[in-house]
Amino acid sequence: MSTTVRLHRLTMVAEDDGVMIGRPETGSYAVFPEEGAQALRMFADGLPAAEVADWYERVCGAPLDMDDFLETLSELGFLRTDGAQPDAPTVRWQGLGRLLFGVPAWLAYGVVVAGAVTVMVRDPGLRPSYHQVFFTHYLSLIPITIFALAIPCIVIHEGFHALAGRRLGLPSTLGIGRRLYYLVAETRLDSLLSVDRRKRFLPFCAGMVADVVLLCGLTLTSLALDGHGIPSWIHKLCLAVAFTCVLRLIWQFLFYLETDIYYVVSTAARCTDLQNATRFRIRSGVRRTLRLAPPVPDTEWSERDRAVARWYAPLLIAGYGFSLASLVWAGLPTALHFWSTIAGRLSGADTSFWELVDAAGFIALSALQIGLLVHVTLRDRRARSRPPTPSSEGALT
């Protein structure tokens, strides 16, 4: 077997249970034993498959099933076919990412945060509070306006994630995802698996950095706009939008929903796929309790994932229980009240034209949200039905 194996540009990062090898451009990753990683290095150096197989048998004392090995590499997308060009090592917006996370930028962020903290200490009215949401007495304008202005803030949050990765030369994608029954914006950063763990923390935390800077910047803007003949609702609106940044920061601590904090914790714990390993452990426990067929052994996850899953499982169950209890206690009764009000308006003989318009708008927005939730749920189920790729880490809300 004198065939020369051609590979795409691959990254190799040492992990506790082997070497994480991946192709950042496609987000395809897998953990190989050190001998398998060395075989790939030999392929990259131009050695023919026969020499690599001989080396493997000398080192490991057992023959290498080259056909099976090459098939695995092909399924992962590591093999370069005839005429295919190597992956380009550069990504767009890398310069902007370096600018936003360079020393001058961090100094500017520090000045903004220090200034905002100072004025909050001096003026309690500038401190985050739910009262700030009511920036006008026109109640119907509050949710519409805040929702519209929160979208750019969410884009900035996700953009900071993406740019923090792109400054390292790593590609990223933005999209819509689902956490339990929540729809979330997310940044796919599977390519972080191609860098050392210590370099992954900033991309994971970058969204929260953006939220803190936005919170402080909007607070200072509100102070600057207060008075001077400017309508009061404008500076109040700044504080209302700033409060949404606080809510977004609080959301990140619901780590059982795979938020930014979850990825920080799982990376610090040296885990690769803690969430799915924990879910498997819970399903296995339920099946054993119900005396059902034993589950397939969890060889898909590393020893570290399985070890940490032992203490993470109770937290995951408690977190899901909290979210479901909140839905039953507040979410469903609130939705029932809204829909009963809408039904009353549509069936009432004295309903005004604008009340009908309001009802139609609510139905349209609700249908859009429910339809999007169904679409994302079905999309994720179709993705799970396909052969899995080991790239579970990276979705940041």
Side-chain angles (χ1 to χ4, degrees), residues 255 265 269 271 274 278 281 304 306-316:
F255 56 87
V265 172
C271 295
L274 176 60
T278 305
R281 180 179 178 83
R304 184 61 178 173
R306 293 196 291 269
V308 179
R310 295 190 184 96
W311 64 260
Y312 183 53
L315 297 178
L316 187 63

Side-chain angles (χ1 to χ4, degrees), residues 200-222:
R200 302 174 194 174
F201 290 104
L202 178 56
F204 290 149
C205 297
M208 290 185 288
V209 171
D211 288 334
V212 171
V213 174
L214 282 171
L215 165 64
C216 295
L218 287 167
T219 300
L220 294 176
T221 301
S222 173

Side-chain angles (χ1 to χ4, degrees), residues 10-22 28-33 37 78 190 192-195 197 200 271-273 390-391 393:
L10 302 177
T11 61
M12 299 187 184
V13 179
E15 299 284 354
D16 292 341
D17 51 351
V19 180
M20 179 69 73
I21 301 177
S28 179
Y29 292 87
V31 176
F32 285 69
F78 291 175
D190 302 304
L192 280 176
L193 293 173
S194 63
V195 299
R197 287 182 179 270
R200 302 174 194 174
C271 295
T272 302
D273 193 6
S391 59
E393 187 174 288

Side-chain angles (χ1 to χ4, degrees), residues 174-190:
L174 303 179
I176 301 295
R178 179 180 65 88
R179 302 292 186 271
L180 198 55
Y181 53 81
Y182 304 101
L183 279 174
V184 297
E186 63 180 10
T187 303
R188 297 297 305 178
L189 277 168
D190 302 304

Side-chain angles (χ1 to χ4, degrees), residues 94-109:
Q94 187 172 3
L96 179 58
R98 291 173 176 170
L99 180 64
L100 286 177
F101 296 98
V103 173
W106 285 111
L107 292 176
Y109 301 155

Side-chain angles (χ1 to χ4, degrees), residues 220-289:
L220 294 176
T221 301
S222 173
L223 179 63
L225 295 178
D226 190 9
H228 310 292
I230 299 175
S232 61
W233 66 267
I234 295 180
H235 87 86
K236 292 179 180 178
L237 178 59
C238 291
L239 294 178
V241 178
F243 185 70
T244 66
C245 297
V246 175
L247 297 179
R248 211 158 34 249
L249 286 168
I250 294 174
W251 161 269
Q252 302 305 332
F253 287 89
L254 302 179
F255 56 87
Y256 62 92
L257 295 175
E258 295 180 83
T259 59
D260 299 352
I261 295 294
Y262 161 79
Y263 287 103
V264 171
V265 172
S266 63
T267 300
R270 306 190 67 79
C271 295
T272 302
D273 193 6
L274 176 60
Q275 194 81 356
N276 286 321
T278 305
R279 288 171 180 164
F280 180 88
R281 180 179 178 83
I282 293 172
R283 288 196 301 269
S284 301
V286 171
R287 294 181 70 87
R288 284 194 296 269
T289 302

